[in-house]
Amino acid sequence: METAEAARAASAAPRTARRRFALAPYLYVLPATALLIVWTYLPLAQTFELSFFDWNLIPTQPKQPVGFANYATVLSLPELHQALWNTLIYTVAFLGVSVALPVIFALLSRQVAGRAKTVYQALIFVPFLVTPVATSAIWRWMFAPEGGTIPAVARTLGIELGNVFREPDSSLWAVVVIVGWQMLGFGVLVVSAGLAGISPDYGNAAATDGATAAQITRRITLPLLSPTLVFLGLMTILLSAQWTFPIIDLATQGGPGGSSTNIYYLLYQFGFRNFDAGLSAAAGTVFFLGFGLIALLFVELSERLSFHDN
């Protein structure tokens, strides 16, 4: 009798241990999952719900259901069309600054040896560590019409810049210069990490067969670097509007006449300047769906176009 009970206890102990072990991985990810639900998915659901109401953000005021009226209003606003066009310009410009230029700088850094290489990469990455407030203050001083360094240099070359942050033709490109300068280091860091993961044996073998340095870069290095470039391109498309938001808010306020605004700053104006939470939520939902579709298409294309080093 005792022998049978002991056998059952012995067989139950491994099952209990297996159950405890199977539960352990989920306990590790539980805190991160809870935070993701609380700070991402729950606000997203609340935003979608709010998009069907008219509300001025005052807690004592009731929310008035309006159906799809907010969506119809958002899609008909000329401000939205201009913000979308500006966002497209920002994205295309940053694809050059955050993808093409980092490849050039990262390849050049491979020609630098020793501690000089570390100093070279650090100097490029330092602007990424500067806060947007400090960045805006520095560049506003450098672009100042009276006493600014950049207008003074341009004046010696016979170019009159004026107040670039208050001119419709230059305000957007001033934001591109500032954000591009700040984000260049991030792109160089990502590309350098991708280059570090490429085995030098491929280049050495090609050089032994008579390939030039340009041929090795074009036919070996860049194809092997393609997964990194696809990731960097995806991040640029999805985050370019977010990168420009603080600079726009601090330097141009979206002006003049909306010439430098983007979709994120437009959401901010709808919600916290016009106090129209429903309209802002509807616009945010539309942008979320649009960027989600772009991300899905880009990820699918990346699986087909990327060359993976196996």
Side-chain angles (χ1 to χ4, degrees), residues 150-214:
I150 296 177
V153 173
R155 202 172 291 117
T156 60
L157 300 176
I159 302 174
E160 190 63 39
L161 291 180
N163 191 341
V164 296
F165 296 118
R166 294 293 178 264
E167 295 292 336
D169 296 332
S170 60
S171 59
L172 184 146
W173 298 109
V175 174
V176 169
V177 169
I178 296 172
V179 179
W181 168 81
Q182 190 169 28
M183 300 307 301
L184 179 63
F186 171 76
V188 173
L189 180 67
V190 173
V191 174
S192 297
L195 290 174
I198 298 176
S199 174
D201 295 339
Y202 299 107
N204 294 336
T208 302
D209 290 337
T212 64

Side-chain angles (χ1 to χ4, degrees), residues 48-287:
F48 180 71
E49 178 187 5
L50 190 59
S51 66
F52 297 100
F53 292 89
D54 181 17
W55 186 44
N56 59 4
L57 293 177
I58 298 178
T60 57
Q61 294 293 323
K63 300 175 184 177
Q64 301 293 332
V66 294
F68 290 92
N70 286 328
Y71 290 95
T73 302
V74 163
L75 295 177
S76 63
L77 286 175
E79 296 93 334
L80 176 68
H81 303 156
Q82 184 174 19
L84 286 173
W85 175 249
N86 291 344
T87 303
L88 178 62
I89 296 176
Y90 282 129
T91 302
V92 173
F94 292 140
L95 282 174
V97 176
S98 299
V99 179
L101 285 182
V103 171
I104 297 174
F105 281 104
L107 290 175
L108 289 176
S109 69
R110 303 180 76 183
Q111 310 301 321
V112 184
R115 294 184 177 180
K117 180 178 181 179
T118 304
V119 174
Y120 171 79
Q121 292 178 337
L123 289 175
I124 296 176
F125 185 70
V126 162
F128 181 69
L129 303 178
V130 182
T131 63
V133 175
T135 299
S136 298
I138 292 171
W139 282 93
R140 288 183 68 174
W141 172 74
M142 293 180 66
F143 274 120
E146 299 296 333
T149 304
I150 296 177
V153 173
R155 202 172 291 117
T156 60
L157 300 176
I159 302 174
E160 190 63 39
L161 291 180
N163 191 341
V164 296
F165 296 118
R166 294 293 178 264
E167 295 292 336
D169 296 332
S170 60
S171 59
L172 184 146
W173 298 109
V175 174
V176 169
V177 169
I178 296 172
V179 179
W181 168 81
Q182 190 169 28
M183 300 307 301
L184 179 63
F186 171 76
V188 173
L189 180 67
V190 173
V191 174
S192 297
L195 290 174
I198 298 176
S199 174
D201 295 339
Y202 299 107
N204 294 336
T208 302
D209 290 337
T212 64
Q215 290 174 331
I216 293 174
T217 299
R218 185 174 66 255
R219 299 187 178 182
I220 296 178
T221 303
L222 291 181
L224 291 176
L225 192 63
S226 59
T228 302
L229 298 181
V230 168
F231 164 77
L232 198 56
L234 179 60
M235 290 298 99
T236 301
I237 292 174
L238 296 181
L239 299 179
S240 59
Q242 181 177 332
W243 292 342
T244 55
F245 175 85
I247 305 301
I248 292 173
D249 186 43
L250 295 167
T252 68
Q253 292 79 49
S259 60
S260 63
T261 192
N262 66 11
I263 55 175
Y264 278 20
Y265 197 73
L266 191 66
L267 291 179
Y268 168 75
Q269 288 180 317
F270 286 161
F272 298 101
R273 289 194 175 178
N274 300 339
F275 298 102
D276 195 336
L279 192 65
S280 179
T285 302
V286 171
F287 298 150

